[in-house]
Amino acid sequence: MRFGRTLRQSIYPPWKDRYIDYSKLKVMLREDTKDDDDVPWTEEDENRFCDELFNVQLEKVARFQEEAVAALKEQAETAFDKLRDMTPSDDRPKSDITTARLKELQGELDAVTNEVKELKKYSSLNYTGFLKIAKKHDRKRGDRYKVRPMMRVSLSGRGFNSEQAYSPLLTKLSLMYYAINQSLDEGEQRQPLDLELDSLQEVHNGERYTAHKFWIHPDNLLEVKTAILRHLPALIYSQQAGTEPDGNEDPKITSLYFDNSKFSLYSQKVGRQVDASSVRLRWYGQLNERPSLALEQKTVLENGTSEEKKFSIKGKYVRPFIDGEYKMEKSVQKMERQGQTAEAIQSFKTTTEEIQEFILQGKLEPVLRANYTRTAFQKPADDRVRISIDTDVVFIREDTLDRDRPCRDPREWHRRDIDGNNMTFPFKNINQSEVSRFPFALLEIKLKEEGGRKRPGWVEDLMASHLVHAAPRFSKFVHGVASLFEDYVNNLPLWLSDLETDIRKDPQTAHDAEEQRKAQQAEDALVVGSFLGGGGGATKTSSYKAATSSPVGMSYLSERAAQDARASLSQSLRGERGAEQGDEDGASNGRQRGYGTLSSVLPGFSLSRYSRAKRQRAQLPEGVTKPEVWLKNAGPLQVEPKVWLANERTFLKWQQICILLGSLAISLYTAAGENFVAECMGIAYIAIAIMAGLWGYVMLHKRRNMITERSGKDFDNMIGPLAVSAALIVALVLNFVFAYRAALARLGSQPSNGTEAAWVSEQLI
């Protein structure tokens, strides 16, 4: 669908004349003129078009946007004043607050909220229109004049298409809705639109997380990493450790996103529609190394949370699965052989069937590849705070939209020119029009929701510092499609204009803005708390005081961490040295403490109580606790099939030895007849065979338990093989001795003649 038609269908009638005049700008570009080649594009035409675009249309939209936001803020403040006036006090009991007044105030909030939603659509639609018409100009008249870069800078400077402009307004609306709904006894808070702009609720393995997303400028990347490492260790991926040398390198992740030719999933996600889903195929490292592939579907629910479904799949089954020819039957059979529960098998079947049905109904195909390097931070066996930083982010087209020159072979599910040649960042060996490199690093902080537990202070400092730039709704899938498929979509994300600006901030300015935001939130919360709690607390002003700001140019986060560390260290030193001084006062009279002693030259040899205590206990960094579980044991149990098969193969070898020895023993015992020695040896071989069979059975179960318990002990055991070998050697030696004695006895009872030697040889044989 052309953008002009989309614009006409999406216009909000009361603001009909406030939108960009897209048709007029197209006429000025002579978009539909047939004899365009006969009429040259002059400098006068260029000036007239740019004046209309920047000085008329952009000014009209920006001015209306500012006026509308200001009017909505004024309405919200008026409603907040009414709520403040309704706060119970000694002169005005809570019983005087009638339901009718609360309903009336709630209606006013609904009107403001609806206007905010329409204004948001208005901003997004006009923003896309300005970028579209600028791109048309550069493509049609851009031989000498380029206006798209200047348009992006102008849009970013205006700031009317930034979600941050709505954040204070929506936060205040959310507080008022909460207070009114609580007073009306309506149970849970009713949120007519997503009021939480700086976070996103996610559900992983039944646990709820709040996710916060940010951009990091390359100049601030090292400082952000060091700030995180003060509190969280770097997480080493066990899977990557098997493919990278020593497991020291951060994993390279590739995500293959699916969509159809109409980009339905993209449109749902940008428009924030209910139950908007995205599908991706993700793996670590290079594809020719046959890594484990995970097919995932993430769905944003109506309440603002998101849930994820995923399962593992081999590369050779991806194409048949997408086409609906393969139903993951082999994986189900493998789960049944491993003895997994019926609930787990049914859950796997349901997940695979739902994802496959979603792909087939939407006619989804791989259209976009995202490649990046991930650094993760998390305490072992503690997932309350999870942080990841993605660097070297690059997006590559993976579509077959152009049938004449497709980026990917339609018969394949991935680009073999990339995966077959082990291409890595910055992917210079492919057509550069198919590549989009993201200029910043991506930071994501996930905090587990726990009742009554506050987020760590250092996390709040990091989120509010000048080192990061908030990008609450950023999506790799959305950004990649908007960057590489702009001609196919009619709605662009809000953050594109920020790419043209410098996201670095002054530390003092960022700190002051955060202090003002916290003070405003505290004041609003005080009014709402007084309204709900009663009493005269409504007349009190907020007790929140802004902290002392840091010097300009100095990292507020680093300075605070250093001050905390120095304060903790000095306090411990004063306590230890005070005790040390009390014990050594009598021995130190008449001489200067520490001067000329061994400890002053070699402090490590100091014999004081403080030094002994410091040497005896290891000091962990602040915020880091001693892990109770090994890193290799963290997470769900994942055993490779070859480990189970190796254990079973060893057991089968032992059973083979048991069968061979048993067959030999039975044959010997059966053929013994009246020979007592042969009968005894047959019984001995039967005992050895039984011992070999029992040893193999016992070791099978013992090693199976070691595998499931993730034991660090050695799996080899030499007792069984040595015992069986020793028993066989003893039995063979005794058999030879008894046979030799019997032969000598028979030899002594025979007459001596010339055939004696031959007879002895025959008897021995």
Side-chain angles (χ1 to χ4, degrees):
M1 182 182 295
R2 294 181 177 273
F3 177 76
R5 186 185 307 173
T6 303
L7 178 62
R8 290 191 298 270
Q9 295 176 355
S10 305
I11 285 179
Y12 184 50
W15 302 340
K16 181 179 181 181
D17 298 332
R18 302 292 187 172
Y19 287 81
I20 178 177
D21 196 341
Y22 193 75
S23 300
K24 180 180 180 180
L25 293 172
K26 286 180 62 177
V27 171
M28 295 182 68
L29 279 177
R30 304 172 191 166
E31 179 73 13
D32 300 327
T33 303
K34 302 301 182 181
D35 55 348
D36 180 45
D37 296 337
D38 299 335
V39 181
W41 182 260
T42 63
E43 186 174 354
E44 182 180 355
D45 296 330
E46 179 70 22
N47 293 336
R48 186 167 53 253
F49 174 81
C50 291
D51 180 71
E52 179 68 24
L53 178 63
F54 289 96
N55 299 331
V56 178
Q57 300 296 330
L58 183 58
E59 285 292 332
K60 177 183 67 176
V61 173
R63 189 182 308 108
F64 176 75
Q65 175 75 20
E66 295 172 358
E67 294 174 354
V69 171
L72 291 174
K73 287 183 177 179
E74 184 177 355
Q75 296 178 30
E77 289 294 338
T78 302
F80 196 75
D81 292 338
K82 292 182 180 180
L83 183 67
R84 183 185 289 109
D85 295 338
M86 295 167 62
T87 302
S89 62
D90 297 336
D91 300 333
R92 183 174 55 255
K94 192 172 184 178
S95 58
D96 291 345
I97 304 175
T98 62
T99 303
R101 295 182 62 187
L102 291 176
K103 289 288 187 180
E104 181 183 355
L105 183 57
Q106 189 180 62
E108 296 180 8
L109 296 182
D110 290 339
V112 175
T113 301
N114 292 332
E115 288 291 315
V116 172
K117 293 168 59 178
E118 294 297 336
L119 187 60
K120 177 65 187 64
K121 295 178 182 178
Y122 170 87
S123 300
S124 179
L125 199 61
N126 284 280
Y127 175 80
T128 304
F130 283 120
L131 290 181
K132 288 278 188 180
I133 198 64
K135 184 175 182 179
K136 282 183 177 294
H137 169 275
D138 291 355
R139 184 168 52 192
K140 192 175 184 65
R141 307 298 181 186
D143 296 337
R144 293 180 296 170
Y145 312 101
K146 299 286 185 181
V147 301
R148 186 177 173 85
M150 186 167 54
M151 174 57 68
R152 283 196 169 185
V153 173
S154 300
L155 291 173
S156 177
R158 292 288 183 177
F160 70 88
N161 197 35
S162 175
E163 288 190 353
Q164 303 301 322
Y166 303 98
S167 182
L169 174 61
L170 296 180
T171 301
K172 181 159 292 189
L173 289 173
S174 177
L175 286 171
M176 288 189 285
Y177 269 117
Y178 175 78
I180 294 174
N181 291 335
Q182 291 295 321
S183 299
L184 292 175
D185 296 329
E186 291 184 358
E188 296 183 358
Q189 177 184 357
R190 178 173 61 90
Q191 295 183 353
L193 88 159
D194 189 2
L195 300 177
E196 185 66 29
L197 285 177
D198 60 346
S199 65
L200 180 65
Q201 306 296 321
E202 296 183 359
V203 179
H204 297 281
N205 299 325
E207 300 286 348
R208 295 175 65 91
Y209 289 87
T210 302
H212 306 266
K213 298 182 180 181
F214 303 89
W215 295 351
I216 306 175
H217 193 277
D219 294 348
N220 298 330
L221 181 58
L222 181 60
E223 190 171 357
V224 171
K225 286 186 176 181
T226 54
I228 298 173
L229 284 172
R230 291 190 181 101
H231 306 278
L232 294 179
L235 181 64
I236 300 177
Y237 288 77
S238 58
Q239 179 179 1
Q240 186 67 10
T243 57
E244 298 288 351
D246 301 329
N248 293 326
E249 296 186 10
D250 294 327
K252 310 297 188 298
I253 302 179
T254 301
S255 295
L256 215 60
Y257 292 96
F258 287 65
D259 211 332
N260 51 36
S261 58
K262 297 181 179 179
F263 289 93
S264 302
L265 300 187
Y266 169 86
S267 301
Q268 294 176 7
K269 198 169 184 66
V270 174
R272 299 186 190 176
Q273 299 181 14
V274 178
D275 295 337
S277 298
S278 60
V279 180
R280 69 178 179 182
L281 189 68
R282 186 170 67 169
W283 67 86
Y284 294 81
Q286 295 294 338
L287 191 59
N288 59 2
E289 298 174 358
R290 296 184 178 179
S292 177
L293 307 181
L295 188 58
E296 306 172 354
Q297 179 186 4
K298 181 180 289 188
T299 304
V300 180
L301 304 179
E302 186 176 1
N303 59 0
T305 62
S306 66
E307 66 175 8
E308 189 177 80
K309 304 175 185 177
K310 64 179 179 179
F311 64 92
S312 298
I313 185 173
K314 292 185 178 180
K316 61 182 179 180
Y317 298 134
V318 173
R319 185 75 257 178
F321 182 84
I322 296 175
D323 296 337
E325 302 172 357
Y326 178 63
K327 305 291 185 180
M328 303 299 295
E329 297 90 348
K330 294 187 177 180
S331 298
V332 174
Q333 296 173 1
K334 177 182 175 182
M335 295 175 68
E336 294 175 348
R337 289 196 304 269
Q338 293 178 350
Q340 299 193 24
T341 61
E343 292 79 4
I345 296 176
Q346 184 60 36
S347 176
F348 178 81
K349 288 182 178 179
T350 304
T351 300
T352 56
E353 290 174 359
E354 290 178 353
I355 295 179
Q356 188 176 51
E357 183 180 1
F358 183 79
I359 292 176
L360 293 176
Q361 288 182 353
K363 298 181 180 180
L364 305 182
E365 290 283 342
V367 297
L368 176 69
R369 174 187 299 240
N371 185 273
Y372 47 93
T373 302
R374 170 158 293 182
T375 306
F377 305 88
Q378 181 184 331
K379 292 180 183 179
D382 186 358
D383 58 352
R384 291 176 297 178
V385 180
R386 301 163 56 188
I387 298 179
S388 63
I389 298 179
D390 297 336
T391 54
D392 296 340
V393 183
V394 61
F395 302 97
I396 305 174
R397 291 184 59 160
E398 199 92 7
D399 63 285
T400 58
L401 299 177
D402 187 354
R403 299 298 180 181
D404 297 331
R405 296 193 308 172
C407 299
R408 166 180 54 86
D409 188 348
R411 296 169 296 181
E412 300 289 344
W413 60 271
H414 66 102
R415 291 185 59 164
R416 290 193 173 274
D417 58 334
I418 297 178
D419 299 321
N421 297 321
N422 292 335
M423 293 187 186
T424 57
F425 184 85
F427 296 93
K428 294 184 177 180
N429 295 330
I430 60 177
N431 189 345
Q432 293 304 293
S433 63
E434 302 172 356
V435 181
S436 175
R437 298 175 184 84
F438 192 70
F440 308 123
L442 302 177
L443 169 67
E444 184 173 12
I445 302 176
K446 293 184 179 179
L447 305 174
K448 181 184 289 187
E449 290 187 359
E450 295 180 352
R453 182 178 180 271
K454 296 182 179 180
R455 65 180 61 167
W458 68 270
V459 174
E460 290 189 348
D461 289 341
L462 177 61
M463 294 169 56
S465 70
H466 69 284
L467 302 174
V468 297
H469 175 78
R473 296 295 173 178
F474 181 81
S475 168
K476 295 187 182 73
F477 168 57
V478 172
H479 182 83
V481 172
S483 301
L484 297 172
F485 299 93
E486 186 176 343
D487 293 338
Y488 294 87
V489 296
N490 290 331
N491 198 358
L492 300 178
L494 304 175
W495 57 76
L496 285 182
S497 58
D498 292 339
L499 297 176
E500 304 296 333
T501 62
D502 189 357
I503 64 173
R504 291 173 293 184
K505 312 172 199 173
D506 177 70
Q508 182 68 43
T509 304
H511 175 53
D512 292 344
E514 179 63 17
E515 292 296 329
Q516 293 176 3
R517 185 185 68 85
K518 290 181 178 179
Q520 184 63 42
Q521 285 185 349
E523 183 178 355
D524 295 343
L526 180 61
V527 173
V528 174
S530 301
F531 176 80
L532 294 176
T539 59
K540 298 179 182 179
T541 58
S542 175
S543 60
Y544 178 83
K545 300 295 182 183
T548 304
S549 58
S550 59
V552 177
M554 181 180 298
S555 171
Y556 170 70
L557 178 64
S558 303
E559 182 64 21
R560 171 168 178 171
Q563 290 177 358
D564 293 344
R566 287 195 297 268
S568 177
L569 180 59
S570 61
Q571 183 177 1
S572 61
L573 287 175
R574 284 196 298 270
E576 296 286 354
R577 287 175 178 172
E580 176 187 343
Q581 184 176 1
D583 293 337
E584 297 184 358
D585 278 344
S588 301
N589 293 334
R591 65 183 176 87
Q592 189 175 4
R593 179 189 297 270
Y595 180 76
T597 61
L598 182 63
S599 62
S600 65
V601 181
L602 299 174
F605 287 94
S606 175
L607 301 179
S608 66
R609 178 185 300 178
Y610 170 73
S611 299
R612 291 198 303 270
K614 292 295 287 184
R615 287 197 298 268
Q616 289 174 359
R617 66 176 184 269
Q619 296 293 328
L620 294 175
E622 182 183 359
V624 178
T625 58
K626 185 178 180 180
E628 299 178 357
V629 181
W630 288 97
L631 183 61
K632 67 182 182 64
N633 295 341
L637 178 65
Q638 295 181 350
V639 181
E640 295 184 4
K642 63 180 181 182
V643 177
W644 291 98
L645 296 177
N647 189 26
E648 293 178 359
R649 186 166 57 249
T650 306
F651 169 71
L652 294 177
K653 285 292 184 181
W654 278 107
Q655 300 309 305
Q656 182 181 2
I657 294 174
C658 175
I659 293 172
L660 290 175
L661 290 176
S663 302
L664 174 63
I666 293 174
S667 301
L668 182 62
Y669 185 84
T670 303
E674 301 295 332
N675 192 336
F676 178 74
V677 175
E679 291 180 354
C680 293
M681 296 309 302
I683 295 174
Y685 285 128
I686 290 176
I688 296 174
I690 293 174
M691 182 176 65
L694 290 176
W695 175 264
Y697 181 79
V698 171
M699 292 306 299
L700 170 68
H701 289 276
K702 182 178 180 180
R703 287 169 176 155
R704 181 176 294 174
N705 293 334
M706 293 173 65
I707 293 172
T708 56
E709 294 174 0
R710 298 169 172 173
S711 175
K713 300 178 181 179
D714 294 334
F715 280 73
D716 56 344
N717 198 323
M718 302 298 295
I719 298 177
L722 289 177
V724 174
S725 300
L728 284 174
I729 292 174
V730 171
L732 290 173
V733 171
L734 292 176
N735 193 4
F736 179 79
V737 171
F738 292 150
Y740 186 75
R741 286 182 177 181
L744 291 179
R746 288 193 294 271
L747 182 63
S749 62
Q750 295 294 332
S752 177
N753 52 40
T755 63
E756 179 178 325
W759 183 84
V760 171
S761 301
E762 182 181 354
Q763 293 298 321
L764 289 175
I765 295 173

